[in-house]
Amino acid sequence: MSRETRDKELTLLIEDFLAKLAQALSKHEEVEYSVEEMEGRMKGVISFLSALSQRWSLAIIFLLYMRNLKFNELRELLPGISSRTLTDKLRMLEKSGILTRSVMNSSPVRVRYSLTTSGREIALSCLPLLYQLQKQK
């Protein structure tokens, strides 16, 4: 995929995200939370931020946002990552509920990874950040 095609795809994804964000914000209502509710919500936030702040996590999420991928496809698209590191990151993201792992009954056995609904939402919310980082290169 050429850089120009990637840039166009990324621009379309960001425009779609911004439209969805504007729609969600127009429906947003102010809510006051108790300290206990805030603590409960923060536990989930901290768990997600811990998963996202690790090296390779956002790259994996971004690639899986574009399409479901097999293990070797992911490894080829992430130059410099070892098979062991990729396995560890995929397990951690699966445990966090960000992606799912599907084993295909074939010979040899193949595994396909895809984002959960939560993972897709995370990818969408990270697109503006990824876009800005890519523009700076």
Side-chain angles (χ1 to χ4, degrees):
M1 179 184 299
S2 72
R3 181 178 175 94
E4 185 177 309
T5 304
R6 251 193 342 241
D7 288 347
K8 285 180 184 178
E9 230 177 84
L10 186 57
T11 301
L12 289 173
L13 288 172
I14 291 171
E15 288 171 357
D16 183 51
F17 165 74
L18 292 174
K20 289 179 180 177
L21 180 62
Q23 183 182 17
L25 289 175
S26 69
K27 296 177 184 177
H28 180 71
E29 296 178 18
E30 290 290 321
V31 178
E32 294 221 11
Y33 297 101
S34 69
V35 173
E36 293 80 19
E37 288 173 316
M38 290 169 57
E39 287 174 345
R41 288 179 178 262
M42 281 308 296
K43 287 180 184 175
V45 169
I46 290 169
S47 171
F48 274 124
L49 288 178
S50 173
L52 294 178
S53 65
Q54 293 184 20
R55 185 170 183 197
W56 302 110
S57 294
L58 283 177
I60 292 168
I61 291 169
F62 184 65
L63 289 171
L64 291 174
Y65 182 78
M66 289 190 272
R67 73 181 180 103
N68 299 340
L69 294 166
K70 297 177 199 157
F71 181 87
N72 286 332
E73 291 172 328
L74 276 166
R75 196 178 71 218
E76 289 170 10
L77 290 167
L78 296 166
I81 194 168
S82 69
S83 294
R84 177 69 185 162
T85 299
L86 180 57
T87 299
D88 290 345
K89 298 302 174 193
L90 291 169
R91 285 181 181 157
M92 182 262 312
L93 292 169
E94 182 181 19
K95 184 178 177 187
S96 297
I98 295 171
L99 62 82
T100 59
R101 178 180 188 265
S102 303
V103 179
M104 296 178 280
N105 292 330
S106 62
S107 183
V109 173
R110 295 180 187 199
V111 178
R112 184 171 293 279
Y113 295 91
S114 60
L115 292 178
T116 61
T117 301
S118 176
R120 293 191 72 72
E121 290 170 356
I122 289 168
L124 279 172
S125 58
C126 292
L127 280 176
L129 172 65
L130 294 171
Y131 179 73
Q132 285 302 319
L133 292 172
Q134 185 180 0
K135 272 180 50 176
Q136 293 177 4
K137 285 186 177 182

